[in-house]
Amino acid sequence: MNKTDRMLAIVLELQRTSVLRAEDLAAIFETSVRTIYRDIQALSEAGVPVVGEPGVGYSLMEGYFLPPVTFTAEEAVTLIIGTDFIEQRFDQDYGQKARSSRGKIEAILPEPVRMEATRVRKTMRLLTTNDERYRGPEKAYVEKIRQAILHVRKVKFGYAKRLPEEDGNRHSVRVAAPYGLVFTNGSWVLVARCELRQDIRHFRLSRMNELTMLDEAFQLPSDFNLQDYAPPDDRNVIVRVQVHADIADKVKESPNYYRESIEELEDGCLHMTFRVRLPEELLQWVLGWGAGVVVVEPESLRRKVREEILHMLEDY
């Protein structure tokens, strides 16, 4: 980023965030604090009313507002593709707002930039995955949970866990205080305080049913910030597998939440390490690759795989 672009970006950051220290700006623009000092000085000399308070930071004088800036073709394409993503992945309400925003962005672009943005956009496309046809309820639940978060109301829903509890039951009814929604690995996840577990838990919307918003209100903890929230990692079990060379490329391209590392061997095989809560969490993944994936450890998972194969033989 050249000096002119950086100075403009500094003004935009100060306009967006009321007070920023030189160290904050240096971190944002990946430059030195000394460079930020020079940029602030140049802005002041150019007539931009930047106010500096020792020990606090820089801010813009109250009432100063930078007029709307123009977009480059690349910036316009970035925003438009962002609206495409929101239309595909968010609920109907946000989908409509995404279409409206896209129209407004395209309307304000100068003709040359709009033509260039259209040309660039034609070379890119977001494809909906095959399983999107089955995610209608998930999108509807996004909207319901958003409303519950905005109105600070608890939610109630049926939930199916991936693995059964100790009593063998996978299904339960939960009441929870919704703290936020996270989109991860192609799926929406609710971060909420579960009344059953008396702690913060994560719930995949795709495993919910009969979601309703309750009249009962809740209070969000003052120290909770979804942007800073980091869930405790309780994946303490190590699983190692050997992948045959003929499917190595396919396995590498297949994302897996539990994957820790991949080691490519001289014969083209892969040695993969996973970290899980329970070995059974990888059972279906291992079986899905057939004879191309062999569990090295732990022995308990090897035994589970053998048992499942025997059950399959009985059916065939």
Side-chain angles (χ1 to χ4, degrees):
M1 180 181 290
N2 61 42
K3 180 177 180 178
T4 302
D5 289 342
R6 188 175 60 249
M7 288 169 60
L8 174 60
I10 288 173
V11 176
L12 292 174
E13 282 293 329
L14 291 175
Q15 186 170 287
R16 186 174 64 88
T17 306
S18 56
V19 179
L20 285 171
R21 300 175 304 156
E23 291 83 356
D24 299 327
L25 291 167
I28 291 172
F29 299 109
E30 298 180 349
T31 188
S32 67
V33 173
R34 185 183 296 273
T35 297
I36 296 297
Y37 288 151
R38 288 197 293 263
D39 289 342
I40 295 293
Q41 179 64 32
L43 285 169
S44 298
E45 292 173 355
V48 178
V50 179
V51 179
E53 185 175 349
V56 178
Y58 295 108
S59 61
L60 292 175
M61 185 178 293
E62 186 175 354
Y64 180 82
F65 186 80
L66 189 69
V69 296
T70 58
F71 295 116
T72 65
E74 291 79 8
E75 290 169 338
V77 169
T78 300
L79 293 173
I80 292 170
I81 290 178
T83 64
D84 290 340
F85 177 84
I86 290 173
E87 186 175 357
Q88 286 188 22
R89 296 292 187 171
F90 283 62
D91 57 77
Q92 184 177 4
D93 184 37
Y94 267 113
Q96 292 174 348
K97 289 179 171 60
R99 289 190 293 273
S100 174
S101 299
R102 183 163 59 239
K104 291 178 180 179
I105 292 170
E106 292 172 338
I108 65 173
L109 294 176
E111 182 64 22
V113 176
R114 182 164 61 249
M115 293 178 62
E116 179 66 10
T118 300
R119 188 183 70 82
V120 173
R121 191 182 176 213
K122 286 181 178 179
T123 66
M124 304 177 186
R125 185 181 177 189
L126 286 176
L127 285 177
T128 301
T129 57
N130 292 333
D131 62 349
E132 286 299 305
R133 293 171 296 171
Y134 310 107
R135 291 192 174 177
E138 184 174 341
K139 282 191 174 183
Y141 288 168
V142 169
E143 184 167 7
K144 284 188 177 181
I145 293 172
R146 277 202 307 106
Q147 293 301 321
I149 294 172
L150 290 174
H151 292 92
V152 200
R153 295 291 185 267
K154 294 183 179 180
V155 292
K156 181 179 180 180
F157 52 90
Y159 195 69
K161 296 195 67 174
R162 184 180 179 189
L163 295 175
E165 300 282 1
E166 294 181 0
D167 59 4
N169 194 0
R170 293 177 58 240
H171 300 273
S172 60
V173 176
R174 305 294 182 101
V175 173
Y179 287 179
L181 283 165
V182 177
F183 188 76
T184 176
N185 294 323
S187 298
W188 282 105
V189 175
L190 168 65
V191 178
R193 180 173 177 80
C194 176
E195 291 192 354
L196 180 64
R197 303 303 181 197
Q198 289 295 300
D199 201 358
I200 295 179
R201 290 289 188 267
H202 307 151
F203 303 97
R204 284 183 178 269
L205 271 59
S206 58
R207 297 180 189 166
M208 292 181 178
N209 62 78
E210 300 182 0
L211 173 72
T212 58
M213 181 171 66
L214 304 178
D215 293 332
E216 184 180 356
F218 71 91
Q219 185 172 359
L220 184 71
S222 59
D223 59 347
F224 182 85
N225 186 325
L226 186 62
Q227 305 305 320
D228 300 329
Y229 170 69
D233 191 347
D234 56 354
R235 298 174 300 149
N236 300 315
V237 178
I238 299 297
V239 174
R240 293 186 172 86
V241 304
Q242 193 88 354
V243 180
H244 290 185
D246 54 347
I247 65 166
D249 289 339
K250 292 181 180 179
V251 175
K252 280 195 296 184
E253 293 170 357
S254 175
N256 188 290
Y257 168 74
Y258 301 107
R259 188 167 70 192
E260 286 284 292
S261 64
I262 301 178
E263 179 186 356
E264 299 190 28
L265 306 180
E266 293 183 358
D267 59 1
C269 294
L270 301 177
H271 185 84
M272 300 180 66
T273 301
F274 301 83
R275 200 155 53 89
V276 299
R277 300 174 188 87
L278 297 170
E280 290 80 3
E281 290 176 316
L282 279 180
L283 178 61
Q284 298 302 321
W285 183 87
V286 170
L287 292 170
W289 294 106
V293 171
V294 178
V295 176
V296 177
E297 62 173 329
E299 181 58 33
S300 62
L301 182 55
R302 290 174 57 87
R303 184 168 58 253
K304 285 282 187 180
V305 172
R306 286 195 296 267
E307 292 173 356
E308 196 66 24
I309 292 173
L310 290 175
H311 290 319
M312 293 170 65
L313 284 173
E314 291 175 1
D315 292 335
Y316 285 91

